[in-house]
Amino acid sequence: HLTGIVSLRDLVISSTETTMGEIMTRDVVYVYTYAGQEEVARMIQRYDFLAVPVVDREQRLVGIVTVDDVIDILEQEATEDMYAVGGGVQSEGDNYFQTNLFTVARRRVVWLFVLLLTNTVTGTIIKSQESILQQVVALAAFIPLLTGTGGNVGAQSSTVVIRGLNTDEIRDLGPGQVIWREALAGLLLGVILGTMATGWAYWLQGDFSVALSVGVSLIAIALLASIAGSALPFLFRHLGLDPALMSAPFITTVVDVLGVLIYFNIAKSVLGL
Amino acid sequence: HLTGIVSLRDLVISSTETTMGEIMTRDVVYVYTYAGQEEVARMIQRYDFLAVPVVDREQRLVGIVTVDDVIDILEQEATEDMYAVGGGVQSEGDNYFQTNLFTVARRRVVWLFVLLLTNTVTGTIIKSQESILQQVVALAAFIPLLTGTGGNVGAQSSTVVIRGLNTDEIRDLGPGQVIWREALAGLLLGVILGTMATGWAYWLQGDFSVALSVGVSLIAIALLASIAGSALPFLFRHLGLDPALMSAPFITTVVDVLGVLIYFNIAKSVLGL
């Protein structure tokens, strides 16, 4: 059984008559054999430990985790998160650049396929609005701008929330506060970008109604994207899914599908179609 | 001047008559005061040191860096990279969730503005092809699918290359080999996704020429995107710019602009316009 720890420093400075029982620390921080590696790594990081003892269910000492293991664990977790956020690449702990090409393709194709499906939904929506598009072909030129910018705003929100959840930066704020903050930021960004987009669309197209539709849609889409981008990671964590891997496809779908619908409906009323 | 180090362990086990000169290690690994924090962190990580002495230009000992500082440095660098890859959020080392909302907007708007500009380029290209679009409005429905999938393939390639550069995983491979590998992976992914996209486009549109244009374009775009996604991080590092921050906007521009041009030109020849 683990009863205490003695540091080498204490051992050196204590007199030769002192017993171990007198100098040891009884109030030991330890982890169980079934603790997750990231949880242990975070504990060592937070308290600046050099090592933590590992005990089994009966509190018998079975090993230690040292600080140099922790660096590798946190590095690996960061790589996994970055691969997931940056493009849904499934990391399996090995070196990507020494992995077989077909394994690489298999790991990447799943996410690309999911996003292909979400893009087909967007395509179907655009197709269903073909009669409006036929009347005002000019509207088509601004679809990539709106869905692209919406996707970028959403990606920013989800990235900071996912990283915040994983590094405990977010600890003091509840989901409600975080989403509210992101919504305000999204609205602010939407107004700035919407103003610019209106000016640019007017310059390109020479039609103020189309330009206004683009600008107003961008404000609505930026707001929507930042709410979806900050709320979905909390939802996925709550459901026990990995937010880093799940967020991007769902945010893209929400932003693209609702974004195109918002755009065509705003255009319909502004243009009086 | 730094002449050697003695471990506490050696101090304890040596006899009382031994001098420091006899037990110290003279071949000390040290860093200079002007060394970059990430470089020092990587050194401690690679050799599993607990601490590294810091010396000034005259090799006088001025301090030490310990392993718990390293964890925080690597964590911070990983956060910066992830913010950059996941949406160009400029991290300035402080806690995002305690930062003023206007500072947050300022840090995020630059990148969004750059991407808005790249999207305006795509919009201009689409506008210039308006006569084709007028003849075959159905083509518009597949633009988000093509640019979106191309962007995703490019993001995957750039993410693994950026992370590989930062964690030294890529060390043994030259840029040529990495880009060649990614190009093959992109071609493989393009063929898989292009086949799916052709089937879906035919099902949605009922026009085999349009469906074939979509499929063939997707293969070309996936190849292009993976080459751009793997080559640009090397280029930016060579130019002394941060690959994590610079890659996304440039890859998006290349893929969107060239992707739309590829698509319209393939459609033109397949549809005989």
Side-chain angles (χ1 to χ4, degrees):
Chain A
H1 285 248
L2 179 69
T3 52
I5 53 163
V6 176
S7 77
L8 191 54
R9 184 183 302 266
D10 290 337
L11 208 60
V12 175
I13 59 172
S14 62
S15 67
T16 44
E17 292 89 38
T18 319
T19 64
M20 293 301 261
E22 288 174 53
I23 56 166
M24 77 179 182
T25 309
R26 284 169 193 281
D27 191 15
V28 183
V29 176
Y30 54 84
V31 293
Y32 289 99
T33 43
Y34 48 83
Q37 66 169 13
E38 189 163 7
E39 182 196 323
V40 178
R42 291 279 162 221
M43 178 198 276
I44 292 180
Q45 178 192 21
R46 195 170 310 145
Y47 301 113
D48 286 346
F49 291 145
L50 289 178
V52 160
V54 183
V55 299
D56 65 12
R57 278 170 206 278
E58 282 77 42
Q59 306 239 327
R60 283 179 300 229
L61 183 67
V62 289
I64 58 166
V65 178
T66 56
V67 70
D68 48 290
D69 303 326
V70 168
I71 293 179
D72 298 332
I73 292 167
L74 291 178
E75 190 85 352
Q76 187 192 327
E77 303 278 347
T79 300
E80 273 171 26
D81 283 348
M82 203 166 129
Y83 277 9
V85 163
V89 185
Q90 306 255 358
S91 168
E92 282 163 30
D94 48 1
N95 185 332
Y96 175 88
F97 296 97
Q98 283 155 16
T99 310
N100 178 289
L101 213 57
F102 287 94
T103 312
V104 163
R106 183 176 53 74
R107 283 195 209 160
R108 287 170 56 172
V109 82
V110 178
W111 194 77
L112 291 172
F113 181 65
V114 172
L115 283 183
L116 190 77
L117 283 183
T118 73
N119 276 318
T120 63
V121 180
T122 317
T124 313
I125 299 288
I126 295 176
K127 167 110 179 88
S128 74
Q129 310 286 319
E130 219 167 61
S131 64
I132 301 175
L133 215 50
Q134 205 107 43
Q135 292 174 63
V136 191
V137 174
L139 289 175
F142 303 104
I143 295 176
L145 182 146
L146 293 171
T147 57
T149 306
N152 295 329
V153 172
Q156 288 186 333
S157 292
S158 68
T159 301
V160 296
V161 171
I162 289 164
R163 188 69 186 158
L165 286 172
N166 280 356
T167 57
D168 283 350
E169 264 191 0
I170 227 167
R171 238 178 313 167
D172 309 330
L173 300 169
Q177 264 182 290
V178 171
I179 296 166
W180 174 243
R181 246 181 77 96
E182 286 302 310
L184 287 180
L187 193 63
L188 193 59
L189 291 168
V191 170
I192 300 170
L193 296 168
T195 311
M196 291 176 188
T198 308
W200 174 75
Y202 182 69
W203 177 81
L204 184 74
Q205 203 60 48
D207 182 334
F208 190 67
S209 303
V210 171
L212 192 67
S213 307
V214 171
V216 174
S217 301
L218 194 53
I219 298 174
I221 290 170
L223 179 63
L224 168 79
S226 53
I227 293 172
S230 52
L232 285 174
F234 284 108
L235 177 69
F236 291 124
R237 196 181 58 155
H238 185 75
L239 297 173
L241 301 165
D242 180 8
L245 200 62
M246 300 294 292
S247 297
F250 282 89
I251 292 166
T252 308
T253 314
V254 170
V255 169
D256 283 5
V257 171
L258 293 182
V260 169
L261 282 177
I262 288 170
Y263 177 46
F264 278 107
N265 279 299
I266 288 177
K268 245 193 273 192
S269 50
V270 172
L271 297 168
L273 296 173
Chain B
H1 286 246
L2 178 67
T3 52
I5 54 163
V6 175
S7 78
L8 191 55
R9 184 183 300 266
D10 290 337
L11 208 59
V12 175
I13 60 172
S14 62
S15 66
T16 43
E17 292 90 36
T18 319
T19 63
M20 293 302 259
E22 287 173 54
I23 56 166
M24 76 180 181
T25 307
R26 284 171 194 279
D27 191 16
V28 184
V29 176
Y30 55 83
V31 293
Y32 289 99
T33 42
Y34 49 83
Q37 66 171 12
E38 191 165 5
E39 182 196 325
V40 178
R42 292 277 163 222
M43 178 198 277
I44 292 180
Q45 179 192 21
R46 195 170 311 145
Y47 302 112
D48 285 347
F49 290 145
L50 289 178
V52 160
V54 183
V55 298
D56 63 13
R57 277 170 206 278
E58 283 77 41
Q59 307 239 327
R60 283 178 300 231
L61 183 68
V62 289
I64 58 165
V65 178
T66 57
V67 70
D68 48 289
D69 303 326
V70 168
I71 294 179
D72 299 332
I73 291 167
L74 292 178
E75 190 84 352
Q76 188 190 324
E77 302 277 347
T79 300
E80 274 173 25
D81 283 347
M82 204 165 127
Y83 278 9
V85 163
V89 185
Q90 306 256 358
S91 167
E92 282 164 32
D94 48 0
N95 186 330
Y96 175 88
F97 296 97
Q98 282 157 18
T99 309
N100 177 290
L101 213 56
F102 287 94
T103 311
V104 163
R106 183 177 53 74
R107 283 195 208 161
R108 288 170 56 171
V109 83
V110 178
W111 195 78
L112 291 172
F113 180 65
V114 172
L115 284 183
L116 191 76
L117 282 183
T118 76
N119 276 317
T120 62
V121 179
T122 317
T124 313
I125 300 287
I126 296 176
K127 167 112 177 85
S128 73
Q129 310 288 317
E130 219 167 62
S131 63
I132 301 176
L133 216 50
Q134 205 109 40
Q135 292 174 63
V136 192
V137 174
L139 289 174
F142 303 102
I143 295 175
L145 182 147
L146 293 171
T147 56
T149 306
N152 295 329
V153 171
Q156 289 186 332
S157 292
S158 68
T159 303
V160 295
V161 171
I162 290 164
R163 188 68 186 158
L165 286 172
N166 281 356
T167 57
D168 283 349
E169 265 192 0
I170 227 168
R171 238 178 310 166
D172 309 329
L173 299 169
Q177 265 181 289
V178 171
I179 296 166
W180 174 244
R181 249 180 76 97
E182 285 303 308
L184 287 180
L187 193 63
L188 192 61
L189 291 167
V191 171
I192 299 169
L193 297 168
T195 311
M196 292 174 186
T198 307
W200 174 75
Y202 183 68
W203 177 81
L204 184 74
Q205 203 62 46
D207 182 333
F208 189 68
S209 303
V210 170
L212 192 67
S213 307
V214 172
V216 174
S217 301
L218 194 53
I219 298 174
I221 290 169
L223 179 63
L224 169 80
S226 54
I227 293 172
S230 52
L232 286 174
F234 284 107
L235 177 70
F236 290 126
R237 196 181 57 156
H238 185 75
L239 296 174
L241 302 165
D242 180 8
L245 200 63
M246 300 294 292
S247 297
F250 282 88
I251 293 166
T252 307
T253 315
V254 170
V255 169
D256 283 6
V257 171
L258 293 182
V260 168
L261 282 177
I262 288 171
Y263 176 46
F264 278 108
N265 279 299
I266 287 177
K268 244 193 272 191
S269 47
V270 171
L271 297 169
L273 296 173

